Amino acid sequence: FSDHLDQISDLITGNDLRNIVLAGHSYGGMIITAAAARHAERVRGMLYVDAALPDPGQSLFDVIAAGGVDPLSVEGLESDAPYVEKVEFDPSGLTSIPKIYLRCTRSEFAAVTQSARQRIAAGTAGPNWTYTELPSWHVPMANMPHQVGALLAAL
């Protein structure tokens, strides 16, 4: 996880990127959350595409387990370092950033993303959220690319 986060951070700072939109799909939600917290002044918006929505101190395995799913029951997911490493970030840096959560209603991870929907609806995920759904499987970029593109453009 730290290596993935550092790669994104290096890309942002190395190219002096500003006014950026971060998009994260699935595990990528972990990365964009930490990257935005690290570079909040450079981020214009965030799009979570059927993605993990972590709290500080959670790993991807923790997010999946919080959704009521055994992470080791997910096909292809193993207890590799990126998935068990805890993400540490200060959520206060994310409050002013507009965020969209796209939940795919036909996703094999619907139980996990349902918890993100509940957190956003209850306000416990913080402010500045827009929540939307698509009748898609876990990879809407493949079967509904125009709708995903429209969400990116909205940010």
Side-chain angles (χ1 to χ4, degrees), residues 55-137:
D55 282 325
Q58 284 189 312
S59 69
L60 179 64
F61 267 39
D62 295 332
V63 171
I64 293 171
V69 176
D70 175 4
L72 293 175
S73 72
V74 176
E75 185 175 336
L77 190 61
E78 297 180 16
S79 59
D80 292 331
Y83 310 131
V84 297
E85 186 176 340
K86 309 282 186 189
V87 57
E88 298 298 341
F89 64 95
D90 179 0
S92 66
L94 304 175
T95 58
S96 64
I97 300 172
K99 297 168 284 296
I100 296 175
Y101 192 93
L102 169 59
R103 182 171 181 258
C104 298
T105 59
R106 296 182 182 158
S107 172
E108 57 271 34
F109 299 105
V112 175
T113 59
Q114 173 69 8
S115 64
R117 182 183 80 74
Q118 292 168 340
R119 288 181 53 217
I120 292 166
T124 59
N128 249 340
W129 282 96
T130 300
Y131 174 84
T132 191
E133 293 180 345
L134 285 176
S136 173
W137 56 296

Side-chain angles (χ1 to χ4, degrees), residues 21-25 46-50 100-104 132-155:
V21 173
L22 295 173
H25 169 252
M46 300 170 69
L47 175 62
Y48 289 76
V49 181
D50 215 42
I100 296 175
Y101 192 93
L102 169 59
R103 182 171 181 258
C104 298
T132 191
E133 293 180 345
L134 285 176
S136 173
W137 56 296
H138 185 56
V139 187
M141 303 80 69
N143 66 334
M144 301 184 92
H146 297 293
Q147 291 88 337
V148 176
L151 292 172
L152 282 168
L155 289 167

